[in-house]
Amino acid sequence: AQSVSQHNHHVILSEAASLELGCNYSYGGTVNLFWYVQYPGQHLQLLLKYFSGDPLVKGIKGFEAEFIKSKFSFNLRKPSVQWSDTAEYFCAVNGEGGSGGYNKLIFGAGTRLAVHP
Amino acid sequence: DARVTQTPRDKVTEMGQEVTMRCQPILGHNTVFWYRQTMMQGLELLAYFRNRAPLDDSGMPKDRFSAEMPDATLATLKIQPSEPRDSAVYFCASTGFEGEAFFGQGTRLTVV
């Protein structure tokens, strides 16, 4: 069965600080990995995704994530956060299933990031 | 700009009433998910469909919840009878073959 674990539930940073949010997954086969962001009162939006190829992927708004297969990890990073990055961040995974398709998309518990000016 | 459309955006209802939430997935997407989001439980997967067939609804309370896809352009989530503990934001998402999910704006349900 697939599962996703996010290590930090709440993170508080000052503007310009660096950010790293941890994400580990459990699945024995090929996976697609995602980070989504949810701004207050809004729906989830895709930040970045990993399907294959270069394990360092770049997304919108200066975010990037690195897939480390040996550690089953897909940590999110940003060198310098802004107040507008205040939001909840979700890591998600779906594993390759039968018939060439992918299984259900499973989300981690989320990390609430608060950035202070 | 393709998007997932959910209706209604907000619903307030009395305990015991039937609630139906609707979702129009992105044209061409073959997988539709229903999630429920609460402060306590986070984002829970209720059910999902592929090519309109239900693949997994293990996350749904079976006695009161039901999910269907009458056609490729409509997915529904029904609660009958509704209870206060069902109060949450319900999100629909659709994906294409590779699994990148696009979310609707959600339905905020309040059961009083």
Side-chain angles (χ1 to χ4, degrees):
Chain A
Q2 302 168 201
S3 66
V4 181
S5 174
Q6 291 183 239
H7 314 304
N8 317 97
H9 295 295
H10 296 276
V11 173
I12 301 173
L13 295 173
S14 298
E15 276 193 319
S18 64
L19 170 72
E20 181 160 2
L21 301 181
C23 171
N24 284 90
Y25 70 92
S26 173
Y27 187 73
T30 302
V31 293
N32 290 339
L33 297 159
F34 308 86
W35 276 97
Y36 284 83
V37 61
Q38 187 178 30
Y39 298 104
Q42 296 189 24
H43 62 295
L44 278 76
Q45 303 169 52
L46 184 70
L47 264 183
L48 48 78
K49 60 190 177 186
Y50 174 80
F51 290 162
S52 63
D54 187 344
L56 183 64
V57 292
K58 294 189 184 299
I60 61 171
K61 304 185 181 184
F63 286 90
E64 64 178 33
E66 184 175 13
F67 171 49
I68 303 180
K69 190 174 181 179
S70 61
K71 296 184 178 180
F72 297 90
S73 70
F74 190 56
N75 292 355
L76 181 71
R77 299 194 292 250
K78 185 170 184 178
S80 176
V81 295
Q82 300 173 315
W83 176 79
S84 58
D85 293 325
T86 295
E88 189 160 15
Y89 293 81
F90 294 89
C91 182
V93 60
N94 62 357
E96 189 174 47
S99 305
Y102 282 82
N103 295 327
K104 54 191 175 185
L105 186 61
I106 298 296
F107 285 83
T111 298
R112 290 182 182 269
L113 171 65
V115 180
H116 295 302
Chain B
D1 184 24
R3 61 180 65 188
V4 176
T5 303
Q6 287 186 249
T7 56
R9 291 292 306 276
D10 285 280
K11 176 72 175 180
V12 180
T13 191
E14 292 184 347
M15 184 173 62
Q17 295 298 306
E18 178 180 299
V19 175
T20 299
M21 290 169 270
R22 293 177 174 81
C23 169
Q24 181 177 346
I26 292 174
L27 191 64
H29 280 187
N30 67 343
T31 305
V32 175
F33 299 89
W34 282 105
Y35 293 92
R36 175 171 64 184
Q37 187 176 38
T38 61
M39 288 292 292
M40 295 299 295
Q41 300 296 327
L43 202 59
E44 302 173 276
L45 177 64
L46 297 176
Y48 80 110
F49 296 77
R50 181 160 294 139
N51 298 322
R52 295 178 55 203
L55 289 191
D56 188 342
D57 62 1
S58 59
M60 279 197 325
K62 298 293 190 302
D63 56 338
R64 299 184 299 109
F65 284 59
S66 62
E68 295 179 345
M69 270 201 84
D71 62 60
T73 64
L74 177 65
T76 62
L77 180 66
K78 188 176 297 186
I79 308 174
Q80 168 62 18
S82 57
E83 297 180 1
R85 60 179 167 153
D86 301 329
S87 298
V89 180
Y90 291 81
F91 286 104
C92 174
S94 70
T95 77
F97 179 76
E98 287 186 315
E100 175 185 340
F102 292 81
F103 281 78
Q105 297 283 341
T107 294
R108 182 176 298 277
L109 175 64
T110 304
V111 184
V112 297

